[in-house]
Amino acid sequence: MTTSSRDANTVDSIPPLARLFPLGLQHVLAMYAGAVAVPLIVGGAIGLGGADLAYLISADLFVAGIATIVQSIGFWRFGVRLPLMQGVTFAAVGPMIAIGTQHGITAIYGATIACGLFMILVAPFFSQLLRFFPPLVTGTVILIIGLSLMDVAAGWVIDGAEDGAADPLNLAFAAGTLLFIVLVERFAPRALARISVLLGLVVGTLAALAVPGMVDWSGVADTAWFGIVTPFHFGLPTFEIASIVSMLVVGLVIMTETTGDMIAVGEIVERPVGRRQLADGLRADGLGTVIGGVFNTFPYTAFAQNVGLVSLTGVRSRWVATMAGGILVVLGLLPPVSAIVEGVPRAVLGGAGIALFGMVAASGIRTLAKVRFDNRNVLVVAVSVGIALLPTVAPEIYARFPDAFTLIFDSGISAGAIAAILLNLLLNSRSAKERYGADPVVGSYDGVRSTAAIALVSSEAVGAGLTPVRFRDESGQELPAVDKDGNPVDAHVVAPEGDPGR
């Protein structure tokens, strides 16, 4: 890149329209499958029909466009003014389904509006709370979100079968869609690989057209070409205290997720995000969430896949995100687009959902890769994931508890997030670190790694269990350290004094 072209490729530069539109469309395609998944999940779980589901998708796209424009352009103290795309967060799926099932859809929007206002109010102070959300907590929560949503993907494949068994044809379409996504990732050009999930949905749906009755697009002909997304479409919001508390936990997760994305994109475009810019971006998230509640859609956050697209394309202009936001607004005003999405076969959605939700879980694992896994951190992840998955494997486990309890713990995601935060505070407190120091203290629950966890090559890798180690035999004699091929390696023993058997 020459000096002149580098000067033209800044955050505030505006590319020519001939480049601006395709670059913006590329961002829309990269996020589209994830953006429409949440209304399909939540709407289907609380029993909405085809027309209402189509409206949810329209409202989602419309508000996602507005939120993206606010975040990229910015006004007053709202918007980080960076190339960030906004979309509905998966973190809110579980809590919203629990709220909608118990109190109706209007309670979802009351809790969403309250969550957005909360985010706006606490945005200036959130930087002080970041210590409660280290990679250990955020990675665990993202992993929990992905694992919890696998139940949704399975439900799409089963497609309402009373005995819970998938029809072989549905399973074949789900598997075929998933296989196509994998093949696109392996063999297609990089630009197409970025939209592999969307391509899987398109190709799977086209293939399903050959099966009579599998694709239902009857509602497309009944929709107007142009429609207005109206406030409070499903009625005025209702405000339930337990529902609001559940969504406030989601709000904290959203702000943590957005913080990471804003810092990452700031580094990519060489405009570091300071505390003031961070607060402005979090306020924009809150405003987008409030608007979402008003227009009967859901909480919004930055989409990480679009951060990766900024890095891939090397285009730094925030006006590309603005163009993408404008495209989303237009799509939200075209009901046939939403009706087409609503008619995609559930089996095809299930196959794509396995990949999509698996990517969410994998993102959590990638975040956890930054963590030094001593035994306390292992326990934080293990207990949090275990608590979160209880409602998934045993849906009636909290059936005898009060509504206020089940709204928080029945979703799994909220329960897992709370557990991760509290366990991290308990097990990684200053007093705990001073007590144990560098000794990983192998607990009885660490049966998989056993004593290997305390015999590491270096203190920096304490608890990793992945590096060459040296052991002592029963007499205390050091055994030679070798790698997996039997070759000698340099190593030393990390063991408490006076414990030669370890």
Side-chain angles (χ1 to χ4, degrees):
M1 182 180 295
T2 64
T3 303
S4 59
S5 62
R6 186 185 296 114
D7 292 341
N9 184 26
T10 65
V11 171
D12 298 318
S13 62
I14 304 177
L17 184 60
R19 293 187 62 226
L20 187 62
F21 180 79
L23 288 171
L25 180 61
Q26 183 174 235
H27 273 285
V28 172
L29 294 176
M31 68 171 291
Y32 193 85
V36 301
V38 174
L40 286 171
I41 296 169
V42 176
I46 62 178
L48 295 184
D52 287 336
L53 275 177
Y55 175 83
L56 277 186
I57 296 169
S58 292
D60 174 28
L61 296 174
F62 178 77
V63 178
I66 293 176
T68 298
I69 292 170
V70 170
Q71 192 71 273
S72 58
I73 294 181
F75 70 94
W76 190 50
R77 307 300 305 159
F78 293 86
V80 72
R81 296 169 174 83
L82 289 175
L84 276 174
M85 296 292 297
Q86 300 292 107
V88 177
T89 176
F90 284 105
V93 168
M96 288 191 299
I97 292 174
I99 293 168
T101 302
Q102 295 191 29
H103 298 294
I105 193 169
T106 56
I108 295 177
Y109 300 124
T112 299
I113 291 171
C115 176
L117 293 174
F118 168 76
M119 292 166 63
I120 293 173
L121 291 174
V122 304
F125 311 104
F126 187 76
S127 59
Q128 306 301 322
L129 301 177
L130 283 179
R131 62 190 180 92
F132 296 111
F133 296 90
L136 175 64
V137 172
T138 56
T140 301
V141 172
I142 296 170
L143 173 61
I144 288 169
I145 292 169
L147 294 178
S148 298
L149 290 174
M150 281 300 170
D151 183 53
V152 174
W156 280 338
V157 177
I158 294 170
D159 196 17
E162 294 183 0
D163 59 357
D167 183 278
L169 182 63
N170 284 352
L171 197 58
F173 269 93
T177 302
L178 181 59
L179 177 62
F180 180 82
I181 291 170
V182 173
L183 293 177
V184 169
E185 287 284 350
R186 172 61 180 85
F187 296 107
R190 183 178 295 181
L192 291 179
R194 300 292 301 182
I195 56 172
S196 59
V197 174
L198 180 62
L199 289 176
L201 288 171
V202 171
V203 173
T205 302
L206 292 176
L209 288 172
V211 180
M214 195 166 190
V215 179
D216 182 13
W217 280 338
S218 58
V220 176
D222 298 331
T223 60
W225 279 102
F226 184 81
I228 300 295
V229 178
T230 56
F232 308 122
H233 176 82
F234 295 103
L236 293 176
T238 55
F239 298 90
E240 300 283 342
I241 297 299
S243 303
I244 291 172
V245 172
S246 178
M247 289 297 285
L248 294 188
V249 175
V250 172
L252 292 173
V253 174
I254 291 172
M255 288 191 287
T256 305
E257 184 180 355
T258 296
T259 296
D261 290 332
M262 284 192 291
I263 292 173
V265 80
E267 293 175 353
I268 292 170
V269 302
E270 298 182 356
R271 180 177 286 186
V273 176
R275 183 173 297 179
R276 177 172 174 174
Q277 289 79 15
L278 175 60
D280 292 348
L282 295 176
R283 283 193 195 93
D285 259 17
L287 179 61
T289 299
V290 171
I291 296 173
V294 171
F295 283 94
N296 291 166
T297 179
F298 311 116
Y300 286 83
T301 187
F303 262 33
Q305 56 263 50
N306 294 95
V307 174
L309 189 56
V310 172
S311 176
L312 178 66
T313 62
V315 178
R316 304 176 183 181
S317 173
R318 59 192 172 104
W319 299 100
V320 170
T322 304
M323 171 59 74
I327 294 172
L328 286 172
V329 169
V330 172
L331 291 176
L333 297 175
L334 298 175
V337 174
S338 301
I340 290 172
V341 174
E342 193 277 326
V344 172
R346 293 294 180 266
V348 174
L349 283 173
I354 293 172
L356 184 63
F357 306 149
M359 289 176 185
V360 175
S363 296
I365 295 172
R366 182 171 56 188
T367 301
L368 287 172
K370 305 173 185 176
V371 176
R372 192 188 75 174
F373 268 107
D374 58 23
N375 284 271
R376 294 184 297 277
N377 289 344
V378 168
L379 193 59
V380 170
V381 178
V383 174
S384 302
V385 171
I387 290 174
L389 292 183
L390 283 177
T392 299
V393 299
E396 301 299 321
I397 189 170
Y398 300 127
R400 298 180 181 178
F401 285 77
D403 289 351
F405 179 91
T406 57
L407 277 174
I408 296 173
F409 286 87
D410 220 20
S411 73
I413 296 173
S414 296
I418 293 172
I421 293 169
L422 296 180
L423 285 170
N424 178 61
L425 291 175
L426 175 65
L427 297 177
N428 287 313
S429 64
R430 181 176 299 177
S431 60
K433 291 180 179 179
E434 291 174 351
R435 177 182 177 188
Y436 295 119
D439 183 1
V441 189
V442 176
S444 60
Y445 51 84
D446 197 15
V448 176
R449 290 182 298 149
S450 185
T451 53
I454 61 167
L456 303 169
V457 167
S458 66
S459 59
E460 289 78 12
V462 168
L466 299 174
T467 48
V469 298
R470 177 180 294 173
F471 297 99
R472 290 175 174 169
D473 61 19
E474 294 181 356
S475 66
Q477 182 67 34
E478 291 184 3
L479 299 175
V482 296
D483 61 18
K484 64 180 181 179
D485 298 319
N487 302 314
V489 296
D490 294 325
H492 66 274
V493 177
V494 179
E497 186 176 352
D499 188 8
R502 297 174 71 184

